Amino acid sequence: MGFYFAQFLTGLASASSLFLVAAGLSIIFGVTRIVNFAHGSLFMLGAFIAYSISQQFGFWVAVPLAALSVGAIGWVMERTVLSRLYGAPELFQLVATFGLVLIVQDAALWIWGPTDLLGPRAPGLTGVVRIFDQPVPEYDLFLITVGFSVLGAIWWMFTRTRFGILVRAATEDREMLQALGVRPARLFQATFFIGAALAGLGGALEMPRQPVSLLMDLNIIAEAFVVVVIGGMGSVTGAFLAALLIAELNAFGILILPEITLVAAFAAMAVVLVIRPYGLLGKQATTAPHAVEIQPPQTLGEAGRLAAAVLVAALFVLPIIAGDFVIVLTADIMIFALFAAGLHFMMGTGGLVSFGHAAFFGIGAYAAALLVERAGIGMEAALILAPVAAAIGAAIIGWFAVRLSGVYLAMLTLAAAQILWSASVQWQDITGGDDGILGIWPAAWASGTTAYYYLTLALTTVGIVSLMMLASGRFGILLRAGRDAPARAQALGIDIKLRNWAAIVIAGSAAGLAGGIFAFSKGSVFPDTLAIPNSVDALVMVLLGGLHAPAGPILGASVFALLEDSLSRLPYWRALLGTAVVGIAVFAPGGIAGSLSGWLKRRRERSA
Amino acid sequence: MLDVRNIRSGYGKALAIEDVTFTLGASESLAILGRNGAGKSTTLKTLMGMTPAWQGRIGFKGNDIVKLSSDAIARAGIGYVPEERRIFESLSVTENLQTGEKAGASGDAPWTVARVFDLFPEIARRSTAPAGTLSGGERQMLAVGRALMGNPDLLLLDEPSEGLAPVVVNRLGDALSELRRAGIAILISEQNRRLARLAAENVVIMETGRIAYRGTFSELDRNPEITARLLGV
Ligand SMILES: Nc1ncnc2c1ncn2[C@@H]1O[C@H](COP(=O)(O)OP(=O)(O)O)[C@@H](O)[C@H]1O
Ligand SMILES: [Mg+2]
């Protein structure tokens, strides 16, 4: 009995930090309608800044100062990047905050270095108290108090201050609020400051409980997404309840089966979403989505088809003239082009944003590796089953995602990918953990750089061409109708959810095939196939190439691979990548292909 | 006070209003009549900066407000009561009024929550109730009260009588007459001529996005063929 109560208190203590982060995320979303992927980065910065301040001034000065500093950083983020994106489509807002994650990652690496830092413990709260004869850390009790106090403070602010009333009004109808004379910019800045400060406070308070590390940002954001989705976007009380639920699930789940705690969180989210699609206390957003102009279909013209044929022919003769290095690099590009083409298909044609596309790539890679390694199946069967496994994963995740709006899909896929990544690291018996699975070599007939290159060429060409045909065919038309004019499509009797689900499954299986090919080309599989950076790479390729250009993923993958090959030797190339992502979202939403065709069109108009 | 010249506006690429021109002096009032889809709401939303004007000039107290954002227009002294009311349903009645609270353009603030409750005792009784639980008439009063909390010199009302019972419409008419006596200029769009007449003496009639008639209500009464042609009654 006493043991379970102590475990319950541990859960409550963990819920506090999670609540602080999720509450900030939720308030910011409510007012600005932006899902801030960089919110986990603010949490991480809170911990790092508190660490630095505590070295000089001690713990109790460090915590509030860190919260305020992070609030200021959030304010700067809002002013410099997000305020330029309030009118932009959701996708670009999401992507830009994702770029910020990369920038903050490298900034933290640059300032604090790669090793984990052990922060100070809280002076005066280092002991334990006995409750029901069980030792409970004093600091845990303090954290629990903080959680409830912050909830109380937010409640007070929301009901007793004009700012709080305006925040609640903006969450309902910010256009009307503006028409009453309220300056949106000020409201947004203040909201960002408070939301970021809460995240910073959460991070600072974690110092005595866990080492300060560069992994804190993505770990917490995945969990915070789960919390916000369960609690209901924009609801602080919902975030509180959901944080409790998740933290307790973790606290008790770890007693039963340590490996499945994250899976349990995901399962809890799934159950809640089935019963209440907008979360425990959430409401369907009342503001109308942005009016999008219906985009023309994505088809390759005559010239494009010719270029594609020339490209395939050139790739076919490449091994005759090129050396091994070029052949391997080209094979990698083809694999990533297929990976990106699937994502491009669901994002460009379907308007469905996935931020965890690596989940499907990784499932494909691990499925192929496990089948070969543990089940003794041959390469051919493994390459067939890899996309099937990924399709099943996509079907499960997609089933929940299509019930919800775009931001939920992005959050869900990111959370799912992060959970799979954790599982691949933790579940050592099956996945080998960080050591990965080695010795996954192709069948005899396909081994050797050149032979495997041709297999890669054949499979990726088939995959990409099929995706292009699907996008420009009837399926693509219906998918676009669901994206651009959902009400009209519904009225015409098109089952949008079913189409979107199918699109996610198709995109997932393309990623899975790419993952399978990748596993055999490298001879091994590691958790980083599932990790967030891999998802980001796919996203960058799609955006770089152009979301609405049929050749986008090929162009994007090529440019990206070449850039990565040269940039990744630079020390802080992820920050460069992040800056590029933010830049594309803000300045060149059409990507390379879009900007190019826009430029050509303007030139033609001028000369005409 | 309000000088609207040749404004043109619409949604996406579709034109909704064109060549709309009228003026309104301080403490004057004007009704815009017209069938559904004639462009009344678009005209008011364009004045409010909520749909961008493609062309034209909107002078308000001597300044061109056509490029301003809606919050700046509100602060210049225009209160807006939208057709859909758009009250904040999860906020209490009092909190809804507080969202509209600001000093008038001249800096003074004669309107308070208490004064709004004096004008509309119906909603005073529900002051702590969530606005989502109000009846249609109470919602309309709350929306008008919320606009008054910003101490406007000009009030824009978009079909305030829509969906309301005749007694409630009369109640609203009394309140609007009182506001006129208090010196607030009123621009009201209506299909209900009785309320429009209580709120304004001058009238324009819109048809398919343009102004098809301008005059006074007494003139309109003498020419029933105009109303028959433009309003279909
Ligand atoms: N949100 C909107 N999107 C597209 N068209 C609109 C929208 N609102 C109104 N319209 C169109 O603009 C025209 C004028 O509408 P509106 O100003 O609402 O007329 P009224 O208020 O007189 O009924 C109509 O043709 C209507 O269909
Ligand atoms: Mg109307």
Side-chain angles (χ1 to χ4, degrees):
Chain A
M1 170 61 209
F3 173 73
Y4 290 109
F5 188 69
Q7 200 64 22
F8 172 72
L9 289 179
T10 308
L12 270 185
S14 309
S16 279
S17 287
L18 194 52
F19 163 65
L20 293 178
V21 176
L25 189 65
S26 204
I27 295 173
I28 290 176
F29 174 80
V31 173
T32 65
R33 297 283 146 197
I34 284 188
V35 175
N36 182 22
F37 275 84
H39 210 67
S41 311
L42 295 169
F43 170 83
M44 179 177 78
L45 284 177
F48 273 115
I49 292 173
Y51 172 84
S52 291
I53 298 177
S54 71
Q55 300 301 304
Q56 279 286 324
F57 303 100
F59 181 86
W60 293 112
V61 175
V63 170
L65 272 186
L68 291 178
S69 316
V70 174
I73 293 171
W75 181 82
V76 171
M77 272 184 184
E78 198 277 344
R79 282 294 80 199
T80 50
V81 177
L82 300 171
S83 60
R84 290 165 209 281
L85 288 166
Y86 287 128
E90 207 168 61
L91 170 68
F92 294 106
Q93 300 174 343
L94 293 172
V95 163
T97 62
F98 220 90
L100 291 174
V101 172
L102 300 177
I103 296 172
V104 173
Q105 266 277 330
D106 266 5
L109 175 66
W110 180 62
I111 299 173
W112 288 282
T115 42
D116 292 3
L117 304 171
L118 280 177
R121 304 182 66 195
L125 293 176
T126 51
V128 295
V129 288
R130 297 220 150 242
I131 298 177
F132 293 124
D133 228 26
Q134 293 285 327
V136 175
E138 283 172 350
Y139 190 70
D140 278 10
L141 296 178
F142 168 72
L143 277 184
I144 295 170
T145 319
V146 170
F148 280 100
S149 309
V150 169
L151 180 66
I154 294 177
W155 182 84
W156 178 84
M157 180 185 82
F158 272 11
T159 52
R160 294 289 183 273
T161 69
R162 177 169 161 82
F163 171 72
I165 291 170
L166 294 182
V167 166
R168 280 161 59 214
T171 303
E172 262 190 53
D173 187 347
R174 70 175 186 207
E175 196 197 18
M176 185 63 225
L177 192 64
Q178 188 178 359
L180 290 170
V182 176
R183 289 181 178 85
R186 285 195 193 168
L187 191 61
F188 289 3
Q189 287 166 37
T191 306
F192 249 91
F193 179 86
I194 289 179
L198 285 174
L201 180 63
L205 288 174
E206 275 300 291
M207 242 187 330
R209 300 185 98 219
Q210 66 180 65
V212 181
S213 86
L214 291 169
L215 292 176
M216 286 174 89
D217 54 350
L218 292 176
N219 282 340
I220 194 85
I221 196 71
E223 230 174 325
F225 280 172
V226 173
V227 166
V228 171
V229 171
I230 291 182
M233 301 287 287
S235 164
V236 172
T237 320
F240 186 77
L241 294 177
L244 270 184
L245 179 70
I246 294 303
E248 293 300 346
L249 265 178
N250 282 342
F252 286 99
I254 210 155
L255 301 175
I256 303 163
L257 191 57
E259 288 89 354
I260 67 149
T261 53
L262 280 162
V263 182
F266 201 72
M269 173 163 78
V271 171
V272 170
L273 289 184
V274 171
I275 302 168
R276 291 189 60 92
Y278 297 97
L280 291 174
L281 299 180
K283 287 197 210 82
Q284 187 168 10
T286 45
T287 40
H290 291 289
V292 277
E293 276 182 47
I294 297 188
Q295 300 282 340
Q298 306 179 1
T299 44
L300 284 180
E302 278 299 312
R305 238 167 282 188
L306 187 67
V310 171
L311 179 65
V312 174
L315 289 171
F316 195 79
V317 297
L318 183 86
I320 302 167
I321 46 173
D324 269 8
F325 175 79
V326 174
I327 295 174
V328 170
L329 181 65
T330 311
D332 279 355
I333 291 177
M334 293 191 293
I335 293 169
F336 280 100
L338 174 60
F339 181 28
L343 185 59
H344 177 263
F345 175 73
M346 69 183 265
M347 275 182 24
T349 312
L352 305 158
V353 187
S354 163
F355 273 10
H357 215 53
F360 311 126
F361 186 86
I363 292 177
Y366 270 98
L370 289 172
L371 285 168
V372 170
E373 185 57 1
R374 308 261 192 265
I377 279 177
M379 176 196 78
E380 299 83 350
L383 280 181
I384 293 169
L385 290 174
V388 173
I392 293 170
I396 295 171
I397 295 169
W399 193 83
F400 297 109
V402 293
R403 264 139 245 278
L404 302 160
S405 81
V407 292
Y408 281 93
L409 177 59
M411 293 166 68
L412 258 150
T413 48
L414 180 105
Q418 188 67 0
I419 284 163
L420 285 171
W421 173 79
S422 306
S424 73
V425 173
Q426 286 170 13
W427 218 325
Q428 296 202 356
D429 298 344
I430 310 264
T431 63
D434 278 328
D435 299 333
I437 303 172
L438 306 176
I440 318 298
W441 295 113
W445 63 267
S447 61
T449 309
T450 307
Y452 199 72
Y453 171 88
Y454 280 115
L455 180 63
T456 305
L457 176 61
L459 290 176
T460 54
T461 306
V462 169
I464 292 174
V465 170
S466 314
L467 285 169
M468 280 182 171
M469 280 165 56
L470 272 173
S472 60
R474 196 181 138 71
F475 184 79
I477 293 172
L478 295 177
L479 208 54
R480 270 198 304 280
R483 178 195 69 191
D484 294 338
R488 219 182 312 157
Q490 205 98 54
L492 288 173
I494 301 171
D495 189 341
I496 301 174
K497 276 182 196 158
L498 188 69
R499 309 267 161 201
N500 287 351
W501 192 37
I504 295 171
V505 172
I506 291 167
S509 50
L513 178 60
I517 303 172
F518 184 76
F520 286 105
S521 89
K522 301 297 167 206
S524 54
V525 180
F526 295 103
D528 60 4
T529 53
L530 285 160
I532 306 276
N534 202 26
S535 297
V536 179
D537 288 355
L539 206 58
V540 174
M541 287 178 222
V542 169
L543 290 172
L544 203 58
L547 195 55
H548 295 294
I554 299 170
L555 213 56
S558 312
V559 173
F560 182 82
L562 297 175
L563 275 181
E564 189 182 26
D565 191 57
S566 48
L567 283 184
S568 61
R569 291 187 210 123
L570 297 175
Y572 295 101
W573 76 280
R574 256 178 323 179
L576 290 175
L577 195 62
T579 313
V581 169
V582 173
I584 295 172
V586 175
F587 299 111
I592 298 176
S595 304
L596 215 60
S597 68
W599 179 74
L600 284 175
K601 200 168 138 203
R602 278 195 300 278
R603 246 179 73 120
R604 226 174 296 138
E605 273 164 11
R606 216 175 306 143
S607 58
Chain B
M1 170 153 60
L2 182 68
D3 180 12
V4 179
R5 293 256 181 89
N6 289 316
I7 54 166
R8 173 199 292 215
S9 173
Y11 303 90
K13 292 196 175 93
L15 182 77
I17 57 168
E18 195 175 18
D19 245 347
V20 173
T21 300
F22 58 85
T23 60
L24 187 65
S27 310
E28 275 183 14
S29 46
L30 173 71
I32 305 178
L33 301 182
R35 295 190 188 99
N36 264 338
K40 305 181 294 296
S41 297
T42 307
T43 303
L44 297 195
K45 282 190 272 183
T46 308
L47 293 183
M48 221 37 232
M50 298 169 89
T51 45
W54 297 353
Q55 186 191 303
R57 208 193 104 85
I58 303 170
F60 181 63
K61 296 197 281 197
N63 302 316
D64 192 359
I65 59 168
V66 82
K67 290 249 156 39
L68 296 187
S69 58
S70 61
D71 54 308
I73 293 173
R75 286 194 304 277
I78 303 186
Y80 175 55
V81 181
E83 190 170 4
E84 312 83 6
R85 278 67 144 168
R86 294 173 79 164
I87 54 170
F88 304 111
E89 304 209 343
S90 68
L91 274 61
S92 73
V93 167
T94 307
E95 287 172 340
N96 263 278
L97 294 178
Q98 286 167 339
T99 60
E101 195 173 339
K102 65 173 175 58
S106 56
D108 46 348
W111 283 94
T112 59
V113 173
R115 189 168 166 204
V116 170
F117 283 163
D118 268 352
L119 183 66
F120 296 120
E122 293 90 337
I123 56 172
R125 285 194 288 275
R126 313 280 321 262
S127 63
T128 57
T133 62
L134 298 187
S135 71
E138 291 165 341
R139 281 165 186 253
Q140 187 60 264
M141 293 173 197
L142 180 57
V144 174
R146 184 179 62 180
L148 289 173
M149 289 296 289
N151 299 291
D153 303 307
L154 166 67
L155 198 56
L156 309 184
L157 295 148
D158 197 355
E159 295 204 35
S161 77
E162 196 181 347
L164 301 187
V167 249
V168 185
V169 174
N170 285 340
R171 221 1 234 105
L172 209 57
D174 294 344
L176 294 181
S177 312
E178 210 173 313
L179 294 180
R180 285 179 63 192
R181 282 196 297 278
I184 299 175
I186 289 179
L187 178 62
I188 180 172
S189 113
E190 258 307 338
Q191 304 211 42
N192 180 326
R193 274 215 283 159
R194 211 162 42 84
L195 180 62
R197 187 191 295 271
L198 284 175
E201 60 263 2
N202 294 320
V203 56
V204 296
I205 302 182
M206 292 189 73
E207 194 189 31
T208 58
R210 291 167 166 274
I211 291 184
Y213 170 84
R214 59 182 85 229
T216 60
F217 274 105
S218 34
E219 231 172 64
L220 206 54
D221 289 340
R222 288 193 298 273
N223 300 291
E225 77 285 351
I226 297 176
T227 37
R229 179 164 55 84
L230 296 175
L231 299 174
V233 286

